[in-house]
Amino acid sequence: MNLNREGAMQRVAAWVFLSAGALAVLAGCVNKPAVKPAAPLAVLSIEGALSYRERIALPPDSIAVVELREAASVEPIAAQRIPLNGKQVPIPFALTASRAALPAGKTYSVRGAIEQAGQVSWVSAAVAIDPQHAAIDLGMLNLQAVQGREPERFSWRCGDRLVDTVQIGSKQRLTLDNSHFNLRQIEAASGARYEAIDDSSTSFWSKGTRARLTLKGKAYPECVRADTPAAAFRASGNEPGWHLEMGSRTRFNTADGAIHIDVLTPAAETAATSRRYALAPGLQVTVVDRLCVDTMSGMPHPNRVTIWLNGPKLHGCGGDPSALLQGGEWRVVDIAGTGIVDGSHATLNFGADGQLTGSGSCNRYSGRTTLTGEGLTVSAKTAMTLMACVPELMQQERRFMQLLEQTRRFRFDKAGALILETDGKGRLTARRL
């Protein structure tokens, strides 16, 4: 009797427990909110590594590049540049991109490459990706060697600086001293213009054998290809008058026509600042790198020339006078004897093609110079910016530009300062930076 009652009570307790559990489950099904899938992060992460099978070491200055692109665009959505500094493959990478730049309905892919001397030497195939994934691991991207034409290598003289460029197609590697710059070609109205990949203030714009170089915002003197044939060297003297021209051949004439010599130009005997040529029996020419002023015209020349002609010595000046103006920036230190405004900068840059550029104190200007046997004239307002500065600078700029336009000749003082003179009393004095 007691056992039956106890069993019945156990059965009732079990039913109550199971019923409570079932109710709890049912309540959970009714009241628990539906679980939504997690939204993708705002940034897409793409990882992987670059490698190739060939046993070829990469130069220390190689750069690994990984780019994410949309199929119809030439500009990358995101890119990672990894200076290797001697590191070899495999090269891990981690690229990130904002999902806001990845609208749905478009096709996206990732490609890896390695640049050497600014040129792509290894490249992978494009790998399609799905930007809806939270993160993407591409594993190993296999690189293939790029087969193409040989790089074009040039050396340039930019004033007193030597610049080297290496280019293939739309990429260029520029070297100045021990600094290297990787540039890419951009649209230009003429010539070939390159801009640093990570710095728009660095550019190189070439037109044939001449170019313009700007590094981190600093403009250099006009660049000329170092392999451009040098112009013939010319010299002349007075009392008695004579004329000399030296190229592959040397031609010497006296003003009275009594002597005319035309011979092949021999190799020079060179010293630190001079060159000596034994041209023919009784004719020797010595060229010294020293400022020389023509005794009749007053025109400065970069060389003093001495000619031995069967005993007597003839003296004169030679070389292109414009070479004395080129080769670096001149900073104006005095305007018509009144000095300059403290902290102001008026400058002159003379190009090899007669172009003149600089700062007027407030605005940038560009113009042309004309050098004749009698002097130097300037047309300085071919182009000029239209900025407004404080009245003192604007007034100084007007005086500077007026005197520059009135320039008729130039000379150098004993300290090497450049003096631009007008027909009146006004003059500009400038020194090398």
Side-chain angles (χ1 to χ4, degrees):
M1 188 73 181
N2 291 335
L3 291 175
N4 290 337
R5 181 180 295 178
E6 184 178 354
M9 291 180 68
Q10 289 176 347
R11 286 193 295 273
V12 170
W15 181 85
V16 171
F17 174 80
L18 291 173
S19 297
L23 289 173
V25 171
L26 290 174
C29 292
V30 172
N31 297 325
K32 186 176 182 180
V35 178
K36 296 181 180 179
L41 298 175
V43 175
L44 172 63
S45 174
I46 304 172
E47 298 181 352
L50 306 177
S51 188
Y52 52 77
R53 296 177 181 176
E54 290 83 350
R55 295 183 177 180
I56 301 175
L58 294 170
D61 62 349
S62 299
I63 298 176
V65 182
V66 183
E67 293 183 343
L68 169 62
R69 295 177 182 265
E70 194 267 315
S73 175
V74 296
E75 293 295 327
I77 298 169
Q80 182 184 17
R81 298 179 62 82
I82 309 170
L84 298 185
N85 299 319
K87 180 178 174 58
Q88 303 297 317
V89 295
I91 304 160
F93 64 85
L95 182 66
T96 58
S98 170
R99 292 187 186 276
L102 302 168
K106 296 181 179 291
T107 302
Y108 302 96
S109 62
V110 173
R111 176 171 292 188
I114 294 177
E115 294 181 356
Q116 297 174 210
Q119 310 304 321
V120 176
S121 55
W122 300 85
V123 66
S124 76
V127 179
I129 66 162
D130 181 357
Q132 298 305 311
H133 290 171
I136 299 174
D137 187 347
L138 296 178
M140 195 71 70
L141 297 186
N142 187 41
L143 303 173
Q144 300 292 329
V146 174
Q147 302 297 326
R149 60 190 178 93
E150 289 296 313
E152 292 181 324
R153 304 176 186 272
F154 299 107
S155 293
W156 306 77
R157 294 188 301 270
C158 304
D160 59 354
R161 311 297 292 276
L162 187 65
V163 173
D164 294 313
T165 60
V166 180
Q167 59 195 61
I168 296 179
S170 63
K171 297 292 182 69
Q172 183 183 77
R173 170 84 161 186
L174 185 146
T175 302
L176 173 62
D177 299 330
N178 294 320
S179 298
H180 307 285
F181 304 87
N182 294 315
L183 298 88
R184 61 182 176 182
Q185 191 168 12
I186 61 175
E187 186 176 352
S190 61
R193 187 173 184 178
Y194 298 84
E195 187 177 276
I197 294 173
D198 53 358
D199 178 14
S200 61
S201 69
T202 293
S203 64
F204 187 81
W205 192 350
S206 61
K207 299 179 182 180
T209 59
R210 300 184 182 275
R212 290 287 177 188
L213 171 65
T214 303
L215 291 182
K216 300 184 182 301
K218 177 184 178 181
Y220 282 71
E222 183 185 40
C223 304
V224 180
R225 277 258 298 271
D227 58 353
T228 302
F233 177 83
R234 295 180 174 85
S236 61
N238 307 305
E239 298 179 0
W242 56 269
H243 179 78
L244 174 75
E245 181 175 310
M246 301 181 71
S248 59
R249 301 187 67 84
T250 294
R251 297 176 176 87
F252 173 81
N253 301 280
T254 55
D256 59 8
I259 300 176
H260 174 76
I261 298 175
D262 185 344
V263 296
L264 287 172
T265 302
E269 299 176 14
T270 61
T273 59
S274 65
R275 296 164 296 285
R276 180 175 175 272
Y277 301 86
L279 294 163
L283 176 62
Q284 296 183 7
V285 174
T286 299
V287 180
V288 180
D289 297 331
R290 186 177 301 172
L291 182 66
C292 180
V293 179
D294 188 270
T295 56
M296 292 187 66
S297 68
M299 176 68 72
H301 293 262
N303 303 107
R304 295 183 182 182
V305 180
T306 301
I307 294 179
W308 283 267
L309 183 61
N310 294 319
K313 288 184 181 181
L314 304 176
H315 299 281
C317 300
D320 184 0
S322 65
L324 295 168
L325 301 172
Q326 301 161 14
E329 188 170 66
W330 297 89
R331 177 166 293 176
V332 176
V333 295
D334 183 78
I335 300 175
T338 62
I340 61 170
V341 175
D342 289 344
S344 63
H345 300 285
T347 59
L348 302 154
N349 286 284
F350 295 89
D353 60 351
Q355 187 172 17
L356 174 65
T357 61
S359 169
S361 294
C362 176
N363 290 281
R364 300 290 301 178
Y365 70 88
S366 65
R368 306 286 303 176
T369 61
T370 302
L371 193 63
T372 67
E374 301 301 320
L376 173 73
T377 57
V378 178
S379 174
K381 293 184 179 178
T382 302
M384 193 168 188
T385 58
L386 299 174
M387 295 174 58
C389 296
V390 297
E392 293 83 0
L393 287 182
M394 299 304 294
Q395 182 180 3
Q396 174 173 287
E397 183 169 86
R398 284 191 293 271
R399 291 178 16 242
F400 168 70
M401 297 304 296
Q402 287 171 359
L403 289 176
L404 192 57
E405 290 275 353
Q406 296 170 11
T407 297
R408 295 295 177 266
R409 66 193 67 86
F410 74 97
R411 63 181 178 87
F412 298 90
D413 66 14
K414 293 181 179 180
L418 169 65
I419 300 174
L420 302 182
E421 297 180 327
T422 68
D423 284 335
K425 295 182 179 180
R427 69 181 191 181
L428 299 171
T429 303
R431 299 187 185 279
R432 289 280 195 199
L433 289 178

